[in-house]
Each structure stands twice: as structure tokens, then as C-alpha cells.
Amino acid sequence: MSAMAPYPDDLPRWRAAARIASRARELGLRLTVPGARRRDVADAIEAYVREAGAQPAFPTNLSRNDEAAHYTPSADDTAVFEDGDLVKVDVGAHLDGAIADTADTVEVGGSRRHENLIRAARDGLRAGIAQVRPGGPIEDVSRAIAEAIRAHGVKPIVDLTGHSIEPYLLHAGTSIPNVPGHSEGTLVEGQIVAIEPFATNGMGSIRNGPFGNIVRFRRDPGAADPALARLFGRFRTLPFAVRWVTASEERDALRRARAILQSYPVFVERAGGLVAQAEHTVLVGPTGAEVLSAPLPD
Ligand code: MN
Ligand code: MN
């Protein structure tokens, strides 16, 4: 017998957050052109999310080439995108903790050398979503993702996974692996999950790289330190960018709070392979997936 999770009681809010995230992702893909500054693209995506009435659920990830995930520009990032860069535009938006997480990959400029990797990630996502059903094994989703990616002659990354999402919690308890053999769980009706295959021409696993300018509160710091309490009020337990903290007393508070901050390294493909990613946030509906972050007509 499969458990019945309650649907979020504010499902319209989850759908609305996902529409905003979807449009922000498409904006980011359009802006990622040769000569564009990485910092400017992240700022533009996050400004769009805020102007639409939501908040970024995490810093815009603009990981490049063999960086698979978790790079966001620092305040003084001066890098510009170059022809042929393979850029993952991974965007999150939330409305009062109702989170959407979505990504796609763009090859910068007109070279079209890595289209196969981008197709592999997108096909993996499509195949995984097609296996979503209430009470269905997560294993079915994982197997479909892996097979679709391998059909392109490239590899799924085994140590990056999709995840369930709960209010203010981007990575909740359930993982959605991108290869079979790692999950005995089932999907539950009413659950919100992010499915996110990564395809690579490298060895198919990642190592931790340098700090990617992203941190997160592990717990509520309490009221003793007012600057820190303000920051927690703003970000709760969601990941945030160091560049978003501009007031000097808040910067100082962050330095004092190291012990309760999780800091994220960039995930880099272990063999230096190029990486493409595609991701949607879906609702496990009564008969299958409702893709909340699907592309929308303009
Ligand atoms: Mn993501
Ligand atoms: Mn995700």
C-alpha cells in the first residue's frame, strides 16, 4: 500500500512560483551569449524573479563546462561567457517557501559542438518524468533517465540526484537518483519533486571543487545576534549568495556564524568532462507528473 502525502494546501502558490522560475530560466538562457558577464546574467535572472513578486529560492547557478553545479558569481566576478561554453542555467524561485527549481543548458554562441550532451540531459529528463506515477518506484524514474542518457553514447552523473521539495526546504528527504540501484522508495501522490539528470562525456561522477559563493543556515541562529537574526529572517534555511549580503554588519555576522553555515563547493566532473543538465519541478499528480516548471508561451 502506498502512503498518501497531503498535497500542499497552497498548490496554486507552488504553480505560480514555478511559472516565474520557468520564465526566469528562459531569460537566463537567452542572456547567456558570447561576451555577457556571468555576474550580469545572474543579477538579471534574480531581478526578474523579484520583479515578478517572488524571491530567488537559491542563487542562480551558472556552472560552466566541467562544473556541474553550485557555482554562482561572487560580487567581484568579472568572467564573461565565451563561444563554446556549456552553461547550466539553474534557477529557483519561491513564494512564501513554495519553491520551484529548474534548469537547462545552453551552448554559448553558434558552435553547436555539444548538442548531443544537451539532448541527452533533456531526453533523460523527459524519460524520467514519463515514469512518474503515484506509488510508482523511484527506481523506474532513475532507470529511464540512465537509459535515455546512455542512448546518446554519454554518461549520467551517478552522484548528483533529483530531490523532493518541501516548504523552505530545497532538498527534502527523498532523492531521485539518475541511475538505477540507489533507491527503494516510491513516489507519493501530492509530493513535489525536482528531477535533474546530468549528462557528461567524462567519467560520470563529481568531485568537490572550490567554494561556489553559496551558503545556507543549518539552523535558526536565534535572536542573540541581531544582524544574524535579520539574515535568517530573510533566507531561512534556503541557500543564498554571499553577494546578496551587502550591509557590512551583516557581512561581519556571516563571518561569525561559520559554525552554523553550510558552504557549498562547486561540483566538478571528476575527469574534467563537459556536463549538461536539465531539470523540472513536478507535482506527483493522481495519474502522473504535472510539470510545474514547463516552458510557457510568451
Ligand atoms: Mn536546480
Ligand atoms: Mn534541484
Side-chain angles (χ1 to χ4, degrees):
M1 207 181 101
S2 65
M4 178 91 176
Y7 282 83
D9 56 16
D10 54 352
L11 192 50
R13 209 199 312 269
W14 290 79
R15 291 191 176 111
R19 281 194 295 273
I20 293 167
S22 175
R23 291 206 161 100
R25 177 198 63 225
E26 297 304 309
L27 171 68
L29 294 168
R30 284 195 302 275
L31 293 175
T32 302
V33 296
R37 277 174 183 259
R38 195 154 54 169
R39 168 80 203 266
D40 292 345
V41 174
D43 285 348
I45 291 168
E46 291 158 11
Y48 175 86
V49 168
R50 293 187 175 106
E51 280 158 22
Q55 290 295 322
F58 52 83
T60 300
N61 285 210
L62 294 171
S63 310
R64 189 158 62 156
N65 299 332
D66 64 342
E67 299 166 346
H70 292 177
Y71 180 82
T72 201
S74 63
D76 54 3
D77 188 313
T78 56
V80 297
F81 292 117
E82 290 170 25
D83 219 50
D85 278 347
L86 199 58
V87 179
K88 278 69 67 181
V89 176
D90 192 341
V91 174
H94 81 93
L95 289 164
D96 295 326
I99 298 168
D101 177 6
T102 181
D104 197 10
T105 302
V106 60
E107 181 174 347
V108 177
S111 54
R112 296 178 148 231
R113 277 175 301 156
H114 310 308
E115 216 151 309
N116 186 51
L117 273 177
I118 297 175
R119 286 225 180 89
R122 289 179 184 164
D123 281 355
L125 177 58
R126 210 171 295 129
I129 287 171
Q131 293 298 319
V132 169
R133 57 185 186 281
I138 291 170
E139 186 75 350
D140 289 357
V141 177
S142 302
R143 185 178 301 106
I145 290 170
E147 284 174 0
I149 290 174
R150 287 178 182 137
H152 288 267
V154 294
K155 291 176 183 161
I157 293 187
V158 299
D159 40 11
L160 292 175
T161 72
H163 47 95
S164 56
I165 302 177
E166 291 174 11
Y168 286 108
L169 205 51
L170 180 60
H171 288 190
T174 302
S175 292
I176 317 288
N178 291 319
V179 291
H182 295 270
S183 176
E184 297 178 349
T186 53
L187 294 165
V188 179
E189 187 174 344
Q191 203 173 27
I192 309 271
V193 295
I195 299 178
E196 53 177 314
F198 292 79
T200 183
N201 58 8
M203 65 184 281
S205 69
I206 49 111
R207 62 176 175 81
N208 289 341
F211 178 51
N213 309 307
I214 303 172
V215 295
R216 183 184 81 90
F217 282 103
R218 294 179 195 276
R219 58 175 174 79
D220 187 340
D225 185 330
L228 211 52
R230 268 202 309 281
L231 284 173
F232 184 75
R234 185 171 160 203
F235 301 122
R236 315 285 300 194
T237 48
L238 292 172
F240 60 97
V242 176
R243 75 184 137 79
W244 293 349
V245 180
T246 50
S248 62
E249 70 272 20
E250 291 180 351
R251 287 263 189 179
D252 292 344
L254 269 192
R255 272 178 219 113
R256 290 195 297 272
R258 286 236 170 98
I260 61 163
L261 286 177
Q262 177 180 357
S263 64
Y264 294 84
V266 180
F267 291 147
V268 183
E269 212 287 323
R270 202 171 274 277
L274 292 167
V275 179
Q277 173 202 20
E279 178 175 25
H280 276 310
T281 294
V282 311
L283 168 72
V284 182
T287 58
E290 177 184 332
V291 182
L292 302 179
S293 56
L296 305 156
D298 285 326

